[in-house]
Amino acid sequence: MISKLVRDYDLTVNILRARVTPREEGRLVLEMEGKRSALEAGLNYVREIGVDVQPLAQDVKWYEDRCTHCTACIAICPPKALDVDRRDMKVSFYRDKCIACELCIPVCPYQAMEILF
Ligand code: SF4
Ligand code: SF4
């Protein structure tokens, strides 16, 4: 599937995370770049072969009401999707930067981060 997306649809595909078990359901987190028309065609192909496609942004949740701004997660978040404003020490979650690596999940003592897939 990945090689077809690259070869036939001229997309740049970066595998961020893969959990695939032979003959069982698998999950891939992909970053894809290309022309809009090529992206749409590539996603149509993926759906046609029976793969469910979800935008990543829907699947990572920061429960702001649970977050105590302890900053325990800041250093381990690779793309700085969780970051702190040093002026008031408030932590924010920048959903568009998140790559769903799950590193923050075990680190957060208050279960403020959740991956929903
Ligand atoms: S899942 Fe990874 S990238 Fe997203 S907020 Fe947590 S540590 Fe950062
Ligand atoms: S580890 Fe959890 S509680 Fe602490 S700042 Fe990060 S999200 Fe908030």
Side-chain angles (χ1 to χ4, degrees), residues 87-106:
R87 290 166 298 183
D88 57 7
M89 295 308 286
K90 287 246 179 201
V91 170
S92 295
F93 174 52
Y94 301 96
R95 187 180 305 277
D96 54 331
K97 292 186 183 174
C98 176
I99 57 170
C101 67
E102 300 187 15
L103 291 175
C104 56
I105 306 293

Side-chain angles (χ1 to χ4, degrees), residues 5 9 11 35-46 48:
L5 286 171
Y9 296 93
L11 295 172
K35 289 184 183 158
R36 178 175 287 274
S37 57
L39 279 167
E40 284 168 6
L43 288 173
N44 283 342
Y45 150 69
V46 167
E48 277 166 20

Side-chain angles (χ1 to χ4, degrees), residues 7 13 20 23 33 39 76 115:
R7 193 183 57 231
V13 181
V20 182
R23 289 190 290 278
E33 275 183 54
L39 279 167
I76 54 95
I115 306 279

Side-chain angles (χ1 to χ4, degrees), residues 62 66-74 82 91 104 107-113:
W62 177 51
R66 294 184 198 165
C67 178
T68 62
H69 305 270
C70 70
T71 72
C73 57
I74 302 304
L82 286 159
V91 170
C104 56
V107 167
C108 178
Y110 303 99
Q111 288 80 49
M113 295 304 295

